[in-house]
Amino acid sequence: MNSSQIKEILAQLGSGDVVPYLGPGVLDGVVDRVSGQPIPADSDSLILAMTGGQPMSPRLMYEFPRAAMHLENKKGRSYIERFLTQTYGGDNWTPSPMHQWLADLQLPYVIDCNRDTQLQRCYADRAHTLVVGAARLAGTPYRFDLYQGEGGQYRPISLAEVDTALPVLFKPLGTPLPKPSFVASDADFVDYITELMGGFAVPAWVKLKRRNQRYLFLGMPFNRDTERMVMSDLIHDAATPAGWALIAAPGNSARKLCARKHVQLIEADWSSLFALGNPATAAHAPCGGLNPLTDMRA
C-alpha cells in the first residue's frame, strides 16, 4: 500500500469532494451485543443467516439475490422482508467507529449499499435526506422512497418537498427504517436495475449532484454480478478518473470492472484508510494486521 495515496484520498474526502460508496466489508467488526456473532453482511453470511445456518446448493449459494428468489418462491415475499427487517431493524448491533467517522465528516453525499442502519443512527442528530431504493412498486414511475430526517425522526416527503441543500444518504438496496423496504431477490434486482438504466431509480436532484463526482469504494469486493451492475448505473456521469476502490485481494472481475469504469484500484483494505484517518482509534487495535474495528466491540 502507498500511504501517500491514502493520505491524498483522505484530504479530498475531508473536503467533501469524494463520495463514499460502502459495501459489506465495512461492517467487519460489528457484532451482536449479546452473542458476539458478526452481523451478516456479505452474500454467503446473509444466505446462511436466512437459512438458519444450512448451506444451499452451489447454484443458489453463488449470490444472495438468487437464494432469496428461491426462498421467496417457496415461502413468499413476506418471508424475505421479515428476515431482513429482523436482522437489521433492531439496535442489537455494536456501533461501528468507521460509520461514525464518516458521519462526523459531514459529507454532502454518501451511498451505502448495505441494508443495516449504522449510518442512519449516526445521522440521527442532523437534518438529512434519505433516499431508499425500492423494487416492484405499483402506481409510481419511481423506484425510490424519500424521507427527511431530523431530530431522530423520519417523515416521508415528495420530490417537490426535498431541500436540496441537505446532505443525502442513499440506501439503494433498502433499509428497515423508517419503513422496511428492500431490494433483495433476483426479481427485485431485475426491476431495480432496469429502472436504474432508465433513469427512474435516482431522484433528479441527485442526478445533478453526482455529475463529475469521484467515488471511494470501501468494502466492495465486486465479485458478484448484481453489485457490479448497480455500481455501474449509480456512478453514471462520474468524473474521469471516477475515483478509487480499496480492495485488499481483488479478483479478475473487480480488476476488469475498475479498468472499465476508470476507477483506480488500490490493493489495500478499507481499514488502512480508517487507520490513517483515525490514528487515536486505530491505536487501540491489536497487532498483527487485524481489522481496527475488531477490538471496538461495545
Side-chain angles (χ1 to χ4, degrees):
M1 178 197 72
N2 187 337
S3 62
S4 64
Q5 284 183 308
I6 304 295
K7 289 178 181 177
E8 176 190 348
I9 295 170
L10 279 170
Q12 296 183 52
L13 181 65
S15 65
D17 294 332
V18 175
V19 178
Y21 188 115
L22 308 184
V26 297
L27 290 170
D28 287 352
V30 174
V31 301
D32 185 277
R33 296 176 188 272
V34 177
S35 69
Q37 291 297 309
I39 189 172
D42 62 40
S43 181
D44 286 352
S45 64
L46 266 174
I47 293 172
L48 293 174
M50 184 171 59
T51 62
Q54 296 298 315
M56 303 179 77
S57 70
R59 182 182 66 85
L60 296 176
M61 286 295 296
Y62 173 72
E63 192 170 20
F64 174 70
R66 188 180 295 179
M69 189 78 254
H70 176 77
L71 289 181
E72 179 178 315
N73 288 335
K74 291 181 65 175
K75 301 185 178 185
R77 171 69 180 178
S78 61
Y79 177 83
I80 306 300
E81 292 186 347
R82 187 166 59 250
F83 159 68
L84 291 170
T85 301
Q86 291 173 348
T87 298
Y88 296 124
D91 192 21
N92 54 308
W93 303 109
T94 58
S96 161
M98 173 66 173
H99 289 74
Q100 186 61 61
W101 171 61
L102 285 174
D104 290 343
L105 292 177
Q106 304 280 340
L107 301 173
Y109 182 31
V110 177
I111 299 174
D112 184 2
C113 281
N114 297 308
R115 301 176 182 88
D116 69 294
T117 61
Q118 289 271 349
L119 264 185
Q120 288 175 261
R121 296 181 190 279
C122 294
Y123 273 53
D125 62 348
R126 75 200 65 175
H128 65 280
T129 301
L130 174 68
V131 183
V132 181
R136 295 190 281 177
L137 291 176
T140 173
Y142 301 116
R143 289 298 182 268
F144 54 80
D145 294 314
L146 298 173
Y147 301 92
Q148 180 164 322
E150 195 163 12
Q153 301 291 324
Y154 281 113
R155 64 177 180 89
I157 57 174
S158 67
L159 274 169
E161 295 176 279
V162 170
D163 182 348
T164 58
L166 291 179
V168 176
L169 175 55
F170 196 163
K171 300 278 289 184
L173 303 190
T175 172
L177 298 177
K179 181 183 75 171
S181 176
F182 302 101
V183 177
S185 68
D186 273 345
D188 292 340
F189 277 99
V190 168
D191 178 76
Y192 188 66
I193 292 171
T194 299
E195 299 302 328
L196 265 178
M197 295 171 66
F200 297 104
V202 178
W205 99 96
V206 176
K207 293 178 184 177
L208 295 175
K209 181 186 286 285
R210 71 182 182 180
R211 286 180 180 171
N212 296 314
Q213 287 279 10
R214 283 179 296 174
Y215 297 83
L216 176 60
F217 299 95
L218 303 170
M220 289 293 306
F222 292 126
N223 58 2
R224 293 294 185 267
D225 294 336
T226 50
E227 66 185 21
R228 292 193 293 268
M229 289 188 284
V230 169
M231 173 269 206
S232 294
D233 285 305
L234 284 181
I235 71 167
H236 182 71
D237 278 343
T240 302
W244 308 265
L246 272 63
I247 307 175
N252 288 334
S253 295
R255 293 183 185 278
K256 290 177 182 178
L257 176 72
C258 289
R260 187 171 72 252
K261 304 305 291 187
H262 307 290
V263 172
Q264 182 180 356
L265 180 58
I266 299 176
E267 295 191 33
D269 189 71
W270 63 266
S271 57
S272 302
L273 179 94
F274 179 78
L276 281 176
N278 295 265
T281 301
H284 294 286
C287 299
L290 297 180
N291 188 308
L293 301 190
T294 305
D295 199 40
M296 300 298 293
R297 299 174 182 176

